[in-house]
Amino acid sequence: VLEVSGDVLKPGSDYVFTASLLNSVGSGFYRIRKEQINVGPNGGSCKIEPATGFALKTEFLASCQGFEDQDGIDRLYFKLKGADGEIAFPGTSMSEMEFPVLDVGTFVVEVTIKDQKGASVTLETNEVTVTQEDVESQDVLLRCNELLDEAKARNDLTTVLLNLAAVSRALERVKDE
């Protein structure tokens, strides 16, 4: 296995690797093979905005821009990561993902960007902090019900997963109060 730091090889450039195998008397053979390196998408960045918000209320948007790849960008895979775990979402051709609700905590979004030939790059967005507004438990329960109804109406798996995760954590918080 030959491993080279990612910043050494340039996408689309040709490289020649040589290897020599010698037996105990010093004779051997050489094989020269020309390879083109498929490096994952590069040159871009990802972020999530806004940097702060309120639980079950603020909508967050993770977005990526500026990535280039000679093979073309195929899919982006978003994974929401927080102290209580992570939620991975199906790949998408869209360069952004909306997180309509998050519960209290600090989160980052890990994004894996793959090209048409399978090379990829993975990076994390900036951190977002979600806090709880001063609201009554009854208001939290009403908002949870609204979120479940919204997820059902949109018929969208991503929204359902996000809303269920946020509602579950919010209900646990209410129960502990």
Side-chain angles (χ1 to χ4, degrees), residues 75-142:
R75 316 255 331 137
L76 285 81
Y77 297 85
F78 292 89
K79 184 187 295 183
L80 180 67
K81 297 169 67 174
D84 290 339
E86 53 190 49
I87 303 173
F89 299 95
T92 178
S93 59
M94 304 295 289
S95 62
E96 58 186 34
M97 179 173 217
E98 179 182 275
F99 294 90
V101 295
L102 295 175
D103 195 36
V104 173
T106 301
F107 302 91
V108 296
V109 175
E110 179 183 279
V111 184
T112 299
I113 303 165
K114 290 190 176 180
D115 74 10
Q116 297 284 343
K117 291 186 177 179
S120 65
V121 63
T122 300
L123 63 150
E124 287 187 350
T125 63
N126 53 295
E127 231 176 48
V128 296
T129 303
V130 183
T131 57
Q132 178 64 53
E133 283 185 299
D134 289 331
V135 292
E136 297 294 321
S137 295
Q138 184 65 28
D139 293 332
V140 172
L141 295 174
L142 288 172

Side-chain angles (χ1 to χ4, degrees), residues 17-77:
F17 298 95
T18 59
S20 60
L21 301 172
L22 304 173
N23 62 21
S24 61
V25 292
S27 63
F29 67 91
Y30 299 90
R31 181 172 185 217
I32 299 176
R33 186 170 170 186
K34 184 176 177 181
E35 292 289 334
Q36 188 173 51
I37 305 301
N38 183 13
V39 179
N42 60 74
S45 63
C46 297
K47 64 183 175 182
I48 186 166
E49 293 180 316
T52 60
F54 293 112
L56 307 179
K57 186 175 182 181
T58 304
E59 291 187 10
F60 295 89
L61 181 69
S63 61
C64 297
Q65 59 186 12
F67 285 93
E68 297 177 356
D69 190 281
Q70 69 180 20
D71 300 317
I73 305 295
D74 181 37
R75 316 255 331 137
L76 285 81
Y77 297 85

Side-chain angles (χ1 to χ4, degrees), residues 3-11 15 37-42:
E3 291 187 22
V4 180
S5 175
D7 57 347
V8 172
L9 304 177
K10 294 187 172 119
Y15 294 89
I37 305 301
N38 183 13
V39 179
N42 60 74

